[in-house]
Amino acid sequence: MSKIDIKYHTLEIADFSAVITLATTVHGVGYMDREMLSAWHQQGLKNDINAGYVAYHGDKLVGYRITFATGQWDIDQWCSTNSWQLPEALVCYFKCNTVDIDYRGCGVGGQLLKLSSQAAAKQGARAGIAHLWRQSPKNSAVEYFTHCGGVSIKTHYSRWNADCEQGYICTICGNNCHCDAQEMILYFDDSLKN
């Protein structure tokens, strides 16, 4: 795709319907609903700074990035905190990044990550954790995050299987998801990079 004019702004309530539609198309039914997105949006707000971003081409939503601020997300069994090199209180969570299939490879995902990282750093984060979908087409999620400076921590097998009990239907596995997550960290300070 030739150079296109993409506009970015912070995630707002007016974007919710379009975000949910794109999420359902890419990730599957039950991945996100309005109640979830409303909660996730709140988790991205801290110190009057919003770490969630959306991307539009004209009136069409072509991507979004949801990021949880430090101290506003649950550290669970899928988090290898002993490998992060930072206290949990200094790490934000990159919940999800989704780009419309027709706009992949145009730099949208990287720009959304850059904007969210800058906002999270202003909120007090020194790094961000993500669980990347290893079964994404050509493992593009892990490749993109690596290209942006992300460092692999651990592979979590069948990471989203328990979500199927809550109504999630994976676009690959149906209602018995066995997709894997690659836990990765993105340091905002170059001195922490190995």
Side-chain angles (χ1 to χ4, degrees), residues 23 27-28 30 34 45 50 64 70 74 89 95-96 122 126 136 153 172 187 190:
H27 300 291
R34 191 166 187 88
L45 303 173
N50 185 347
Y64 66 85
T70 59
D74 294 327
K95 173 62 179 162
C96 54
K122 289 176 185 174
R126 293 191 55 211
S136 64
I153 300 289
I172 295 175
Y187 296 106
D190 287 339

Side-chain angles (χ1 to χ4, degrees), residues 75-152:
I75 296 178
D76 59 21
Q77 73 269 26
W78 309 108
C79 295
S80 308
T81 56
N82 57 337
S83 299
W84 292 357
Q85 300 183 58
L86 284 170
E88 298 166 12
L90 297 178
V91 179
C92 69
Y93 187 70
F94 296 119
K95 173 62 179 162
C96 54
N97 183 67
T98 302
V99 177
D100 183 289
I101 192 169
D102 294 331
Y103 292 82
R104 293 177 189 161
C106 298
V108 174
Q111 183 64 17
L112 287 166
L113 180 61
K114 179 182 176 182
L115 292 167
S116 279
S117 296
Q118 290 170 344
K122 289 176 185 174
Q123 292 173 334
R126 293 191 55 211
I129 284 290
H131 290 93
L132 288 298
W133 183 34
R134 290 179 51 97
Q135 280 72 23
S136 64
K138 300 179 185 175
N139 198 17
S140 59
V142 173
E143 285 187 22
Y144 129 81
F145 205 78
T146 301
H147 178 75
C148 291
V151 177
S152 287

Side-chain angles (χ1 to χ4, degrees), residues 133 135 164 169-179:
W133 183 34
Q135 280 72 23
C164 293
I169 301 173
C170 174
T171 57
I172 295 175
C173 310
N175 64 356
N176 188 17
C177 182
H178 288 284
C179 292

